[in-house]
Each structure stands twice: as C-alpha cells, then as structure tokens.
C-alpha cells in the first residue's frame, strides 16, 4: 500500500531511509532546513570510514577514573566543558555505566555488528544506483601502533572485534613501510583490516543520494520540523517553520537534533551531542594508500578530493556552545607526527576546519523503532561514532518497520525506551 512518509533530516540516515522507502513504492517528502549533506550535518565532516570493525563503544571499563582529567584538559581527546557538566550528568552516568564491564562492551558490540556488517558493499550499491560509484572504496583501513606492545595493550577491544567477525593482517615494520612509505617511522606495527572501506567525500555522497531520491520522485521541503499533529493516535502532519506537511508516517532522522522531536512523539531519550572536529589540508604532499588510525592519536587520517582530512575529538559541550577551534589545531599539530613530510607552517588558506555534532546515546547504540505516541512515527537517530557506516542497514530496517515486515535484525537493543 502506498503511504506518504515524511523523512525529517537529510544526513546519511535520512538519505538511506528515503531511498529504501521509495524502493517500497512510498511517496516520500524529505524535510531539511539546510543543504542535504551540508556543513550543518555530522554526515558532512566525519572521518569518512566505513568500518564494520567499529563495534567497540566509546565507554569502556574504568573510564570513570578519567572523568576528572576530561574536565581539566579542554584539549584532550575527550573533553567535558565545566559549564555543561550539570546538564550532562544524567547522560554521563549512563555512559559510564554502559561500558563498566567487558561483558557489557561485548553485548553492545554484538548489537552494533549487524548494523555495520558489509557496510562498504551496501554503500557501494547505493552509490551505484545514484551514479556516484567512485565515492565508495574498499581498500582496507590501517591501525598504526608504535609497537606490538601498544597493540597488545588493546587486547580486549581486538578480542571483541574478532568475536564479531573482524579479521586483520598484522604488518611488521618492513611491511608497514612498503605499504605506507609516508607514515612516520615511529609506527613500527600495524593492523590492516581489509574489509573496511571509505566514503571519499561524505558530504557529496549524501547530496548525491538525496538528488537521486528526488529523481525517483521524493519531494525536498526546505524547512525545520517543529512537531507533529497526532489525532486519535494517528499522525496527520509534521509541523514545520514553513507550514504543515500532511503525512501518514514520519521518520525522525535529524541526528543530534532529534531529542525534542522524539519527546513530541512521546519518548524522552538521553540523546547528547559528542562534538567532533576535522581539518582538511589541501595539497598535503603525500598520497596515503589507506586511511590510517594512529593508536596514540584517537583520530582518523584519510585522503578526500579536497585534501588530507584528519577527524576526531570528542567534546561534551552541548549543541549551542561555539566551537573551540583550538581542538582542531590539536588535530593539525598531530599531522606531522603521523606523516612527517606534510609541510610545516601551512598557510591558512590550505587548512580548513570544521566542527559537527555526533548524535550519541550513552551506550553507543542508536534508537530505531516506533514512537510511544503513535506507531506512525519511527525513530532513526543516535548513531554516534558509526552513523555513516550504519546508514544503509538503518534505511532497510526503517523501511521494514514502516512496511510492517518483520525487521531483518532484532530491534530490541535499539529500543528508544531502553533507558526509560
Ligand atoms: C568528527 C567526526 C568523525 C566521524 N567519523 C565517522 C566515521 O569515520 N565513520 C562513521 O561511520 N561515522 C563517523 N562519524 C559519525 C557520523 O558522522 C554520524 O553518526 C552520522 O553522520 C549521523 O548521521 P545523521 O543523518 O543521523 O545526522 P546528520 O548527518 O547530523 O544529519 C541530520 C540532518 O537533520 C537536519 N535537521 C536537524 N534538525 C532538523 C529539524 N528540526 N527538521 C528537519 N531537519 C533537521 C540537519 O540539518 C542535518 O542535515 C563521525 C562524526 C564526527 C563528528
């Protein structure tokens, strides 16, 4: 039965949902105030990685001991702004608890695995449909360590990854040098996860997917959704700052901005933003073959058409605070530690900085499923650090829910009410 569905948000999640809903023969209206895949979206500026191996959540055992440090050091890989702490505390408690034992990490990893599995191939299929195949590659991703001991210090994470299907090649110093000659000689050991891939330009990719959805008949409505008209338990319309849009079903896919809409749909969810940053260096003078994640940097290095992108950092400071560009400078300062031949003292016109909002639940799992106020509204947000990777499978799951088909994955771990 053809239904009229409003998809709220045109990041990777909204784009993937729109395409799968169109495939089922629905009428789709995409509601988005900005440019699809534009700089306002986390989907624009992320690390570009499509890693099925990314099953380890941010919160890990003993993280609570590090919280005072996170408050003291505004430029550390994870920082908490003092002024935001009172509002953050309930989320932070749940975050610490979600990762308090290796067993909990194992359960979360198991829940993430099917959302991330086959991501490069699934993205490739979407990209082919949209005529932008060249944006998706699967060359593998390199995890670089100063030495084997540094890798062995992360045994728990790699054991859990292995239990969830990740396989890797171990590269000694010689092999590492042969495969990635520009990498600093301070890295003497690496893992190559060959199943991992990359989206070379996530902003252009999302824009291309939405363009394709419009070609297939979707309407793109430039507006900000403000709420819902629900009568006798049935959705009548999505309200926006530019008038109401009649719809029988709606998907909330507005990333870090989904909390209020979810509340209007009857669910109070502990959604926070983990703010992240990137810098892009144009003409960096190197052409790394693989995206690289240096173990001591907690950041991703990847080539994009605009240059070398370094993305990372977690800053817990809410949606409204101005960016702290010193955090992007930390990323920039690390570049020559990883790739020493990148020129020093780059002129400002060759360095572009960006800040964006990861939509993060405390346990690192998204909210996927019908809303409490009415099953006509479906939640599709909260993908944290892995939303780009999880986009295609999320789109398929949301289409299953809306079509009334049994979902291809058990949705229990992603219940929007798991913290209620
Ligand atoms: C620095 C950084 C590095 C990352 N690296 C990776 C990575 O390598 N791999 C990976 O898989 N993930 C990565 N992520 C995470 C990933 O980018 C996000 O999980 C993902 O982009 C979330 O997609 P989304 O569509 O839910 O949200 P978004 O991309 O933020 O899109 C939400 C859209 O909704 C719109 N919107 C907001 N409010 C409304 C409203 N009221 N009405 C209508 N529209 C609205 C916004 O304008 C926006 O366009 C990274 C994130 C960051 C910040």
């Amino acid at each position: 039965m053809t239904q009229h569905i409003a998809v709220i948000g045109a990041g990777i999640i909204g784009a993937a949902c729109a395409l799968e809903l169109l495939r089922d023969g629905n009428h789709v209206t995409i509601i988005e105030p900005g440019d699809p895949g534009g700089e306002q979206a986390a989907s624009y500026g992320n690390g570009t990685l499509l890693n099925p191996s990314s099953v380890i959540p941010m919160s890990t055992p003993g993280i609570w001991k590090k919280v005072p440090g996170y408050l003291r050091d505004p430029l550390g890989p994870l920082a908490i702004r003092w002024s935001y702490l009172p509002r953050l505390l309930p989320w932070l408690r749940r975050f610490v608890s979600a990762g308090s034992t290796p067993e909990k990490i194992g359960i979360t990893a198991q829940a993430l695995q099917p959302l991330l599995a086959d991501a490069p191939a699934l993205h490739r299929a979407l990209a082919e449909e949209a005529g932008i195949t060249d944006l998706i590659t699967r060359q593998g991703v390199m995890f670089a360590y100063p030495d084997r001991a540094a890798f062995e210090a992360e045994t728990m994470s790699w054991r859990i990854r292995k239990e969830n299907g990740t396989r890797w090649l171990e590269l000694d110093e010689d092999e590492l040098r042969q495969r990635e000659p520009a990498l600093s000689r301070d890295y003497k050991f690496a893992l190559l996860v060959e199943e991992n891939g990359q989206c070379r330009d996530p902003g252009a990719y999302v824009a291309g997917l939405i363009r394709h959805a419009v070609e297939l008949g979707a309407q793109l409505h430039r507006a900000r959704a403000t709420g819902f008209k629900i009568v006798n338990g049935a959705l009548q319309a999505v309200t926006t700052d530019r008038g109401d849009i009649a719809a029988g079903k709606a998907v909330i896919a507005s990333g870090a901005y989904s909390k209020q809409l979810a509340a209007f749909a009857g669910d109070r969810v502990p959604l926070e933003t983990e703010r992240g940053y990137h810098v892009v260096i144009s003409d960096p003078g190197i052409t790394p073959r693989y995206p690289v994640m240096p173990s001591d940097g907690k950041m991703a290095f990847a080539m994009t058409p605009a240059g070398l992108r370094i993305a990372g950092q977690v800053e817990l400071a809410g949606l409204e605070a101005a960016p702290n560009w010193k955090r992007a400078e930390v990323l920039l300062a690390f570049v020559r530690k990883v790739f020493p031949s990148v020129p020093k003292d780059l002129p400002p016109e060759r360095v572009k900085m960006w800040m964006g909002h990861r939509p993060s639940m405390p346990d690192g799992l998204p909210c996927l499923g019908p809303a409490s106020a009415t099953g006509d509204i479906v939640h599709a947000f909260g993908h944290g650090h892995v939303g780009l990777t999880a986009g295609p499978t999320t789109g398929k799951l949301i289409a299953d829910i809306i079509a009334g088909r049994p979902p291809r994955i058990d949705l229990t771990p992603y219940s929007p009410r798991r913290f209620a």
Side-chain angles (χ1 to χ4, degrees):
M1 193 181 72
T2 300
Q3 311 187 71
H4 185 188
I5 301 159
V7 174
I8 305 171
I12 183 60
I13 301 299
C17 290
L19 285 170
E20 296 305 330
L21 291 166
L22 286 162
R23 205 185 304 288
D24 279 348
N26 297 296
H27 290 306
V28 173
T29 299
I30 302 161
I31 305 172
E32 165 65 59
D35 290 334
E39 292 196 20
Q40 81 288 351
S43 300
Y44 168 87
N46 51 59
T48 78
L49 305 182
L50 306 175
N51 284 1
S53 65
S54 290
V55 293
I56 306 296
M58 280 300 289
S59 172
T60 46
I63 200 163
W64 61 271
K65 290 185 215 150
K66 299 182 183 161
V67 169
Y70 298 153
L71 281 160
R72 264 198 312 272
D73 180 5
L75 301 180
L78 195 160
I80 302 172
R81 280 214 198 156
W82 268 108
S83 55
Y84 194 62
L85 185 61
R87 279 174 68 188
L88 182 68
L89 266 179
W91 184 91
L92 199 57
R93 269 194 219 107
R94 288 170 165 146
F95 174 76
V96 168
S97 160
S100 60
T101 64
E103 291 70 35
K104 286 186 182 177
I105 306 289
I107 291 168
T108 301
Q110 257 179 30
L112 277 174
Q113 188 275 337
L115 285 180
L116 309 180
D118 295 329
L122 294 170
H123 277 285
R124 183 87 178 182
L126 283 182
E128 266 169 19
E129 274 177 39
I132 44 178
T133 319
D134 59 316
L135 292 181
I136 305 296
T137 57
R138 208 197 80 178
Q139 68 287 65
V141 169
M142 188 178 273
F143 297 78
Y145 291 88
D147 50 31
R148 178 179 272 279
F151 158 63
E152 282 165 359
E154 295 184 356
T155 310
M156 181 197 79
S157 322
W158 286 102
R159 175 182 54 76
I160 294 175
R161 287 189 183 99
K162 195 171 189 179
E163 286 164 6
N164 285 283
T166 301
R167 298 290 174 264
W168 58 81
L169 297 178
E170 295 190 1
L171 306 181
D172 63 19
E173 201 173 348
D174 279 352
E175 288 165 306
L176 184 51
R177 228 44 75 215
Q178 277 168 26
R179 286 185 186 256
E180 203 61 278
L183 193 72
S184 162
R185 293 187 174 253
D186 292 342
Y187 297 99
K188 297 184 169 52
F189 180 80
L191 303 184
L192 183 64
V193 180
E194 291 179 297
E195 65 169 343
N196 288 348
Q198 192 198 358
C199 172
R200 294 174 58 243
D201 186 342
Y205 175 56
V206 172
L209 295 183
I210 295 286
R211 199 167 48 239
H212 183 52
V214 170
E215 283 160 10
L216 294 175
Q219 307 281 316
L220 177 58
H221 195 90
R222 296 296 190 125
R224 185 176 298 281
T226 51
F228 304 101
K229 278 199 175 139
I230 301 169
V231 178
N232 297 330
L235 180 70
Q236 306 289 308
V238 177
T239 60
T240 81
D241 57 358
R242 298 202 174 169
D244 295 356
I245 295 172
K249 297 258 157 98
V251 178
I252 303 178
S254 7
Y257 299 88
S258 302
K259 186 172 178 164
Q260 207 179 10
L261 289 170
F264 289 139
D267 292 304
R268 288 166 60 86
V269 292
L271 180 71
E272 255 305 327
T273 163
E274 286 181 77
R275 297 146 58 108
Y277 291 79
H278 84 211
V279 293
V280 175
I281 300 171
S282 59
D283 302 323
I286 53 163
T287 46
R289 184 168 156 197
Y290 305 101
V292 176
M293 300 201 66
S295 68
D296 48 349
K298 308 285 175 226
M299 53 186 82
F301 287 69
M303 279 311 285
T304 70
L308 179 66
R309 179 183 289 193
I310 306 103
Q313 303 273 21
V314 171
E315 182 182 45
L316 296 165
L319 286 167
E320 284 104 37
N324 176 0
W325 293 119
K326 286 191 183 142
R327 295 188 65 84
E329 284 164 19
V330 170
L331 297 174
L332 188 59
F334 211 84
V335 174
R336 295 188 73 259
K337 189 172 176 342
V338 179
F339 291 111
S341 53
V342 171
K344 248 186 189 164
D345 303 324
L346 290 156
E349 63 276 13
R350 280 180 57 194
V351 179
K352 191 174 172 234
M353 297 181 175
W354 171 88
M355 190 273 285
H357 295 283
R358 296 182 191 87
S360 296
M361 295 293 287
D363 56 359
L365 295 171
C367 289
L368 308 175
S372 293
T374 166
D376 293 340
I377 302 174
V378 180
H379 299 301
F381 58 82
H383 295 75
H385 290 246
V386 294
L388 179 65
T389 310
T393 296
T394 298
K396 290 179 198 299
L397 284 172
I398 298 303
D400 287 343
I401 295 170
I402 287 191
R405 290 187 293 264
R408 55 201 74 204
I409 298 172
D410 174 21
L411 292 174
T412 314
Y414 325 116
S415 167
R417 287 165 286 283
R418 64 191 183 274
F419 289 101

